[in-house]
Amino acid sequence: MAEEMKVIVFTLAHEEYGIEVDKVRTIERMVPITRVPKTPAFVKGVINLRGVVIPVIDLRGRFGLVESEYTENSRIIIVAANDLEVGFIVDSANDVIDVMSDAIENPPEVVGGIKAKYISGVAKISESRLLILLHLAEVLNRSEIIQLEQFGD
């Protein structure tokens, strides 16, 4: 029996991606980001969200894609992984959809220039629409989480 999974759909460089709804805390418009020295280039800094300091990562930079100017459609998706809240900057966050587990296939080696380790699967939504599902544990791998946790204290 195929299970249904709710997924937040967002775009990066004209590709559609998904993160499971239960991993997403909130989706915010772009706010001023305070730069933090000695962090990887894709770590844009931290934001103060309702009194909580949250590190922010530009997913384009994380995936080795060309970073672009932020627009009024740009969003920060706040996700929770391993007791850590992190903001992902994305080009836009579009909608929430249901994905059936039997529509998800294992990822190929590279999708849209992104290494397979960052992808948990590819969901076939329709004949012409594929959704790349993020593997949050890899997007925020151990050594980077340790670096980011220092900002949360």
Side-chain angles (χ1 to χ4, degrees):
M1 178 83 187
E3 290 186 30
E4 199 173 69
M5 174 171 80
K6 285 205 178 302
V7 174
I8 300 258
V9 178
F10 65 92
T11 58
L12 270 186
H14 308 293
E15 297 281 346
E16 284 191 309
Y17 296 83
I19 298 177
E20 295 168 52
V21 165
D22 63 357
K23 304 251 189 316
V24 175
R25 293 275 189 258
T26 178
I27 299 173
E28 302 290 330
R29 292 184 176 278
M30 291 300 293
V31 295
I33 299 171
T34 304
R35 189 82 182 111
V36 178
K38 296 189 174 92
T39 57
F42 60 82
V43 177
K44 293 302 169 193
V46 294
I47 59 172
N48 182 341
L49 188 64
R50 294 181 270 292
V52 179
V53 175
I54 298 176
V56 177
I57 293 174
D58 190 314
L59 275 189
R60 280 178 173 248
R62 178 70 178 107
F63 294 154
L65 302 171
V66 175
E67 291 187 32
S68 67
E69 292 292 313
Y70 304 134
T71 68
E72 69 264 7
N73 293 325
S74 298
R75 294 290 181 268
I76 300 174
I77 299 177
I78 309 295
V79 298
N82 307 335
D83 301 326
L84 173 70
E85 287 191 345
V86 178
F88 290 152
I89 299 173
V90 300
D91 296 351
S92 65
N94 303 329
D95 50 5
V96 176
I97 61 170
D98 294 320
V99 175
M100 299 305 290
S101 58
D102 59 2
I104 300 172
E105 296 179 15
N106 289 331
E109 281 305 302
V110 174
V111 180
I114 296 172
K115 296 184 191 81
K117 73 175 189 173
Y118 298 133
I119 301 168
S120 65
V122 177
K124 189 173 184 179
I125 307 302
S126 67
E127 280 305 312
S128 60
R129 186 177 183 198
L130 294 176
L131 187 64
I132 302 164
L133 301 173
L134 289 192
H135 189 308
L136 278 186
E138 278 301 328
V139 174
L140 299 168
N141 79 30
R142 298 276 337 129
S143 62
E144 285 150 11
I145 287 174
I146 289 165
Q147 274 187 319
L148 292 173
E149 281 174 341
Q150 295 165 356
F151 304 128
D153 296 335

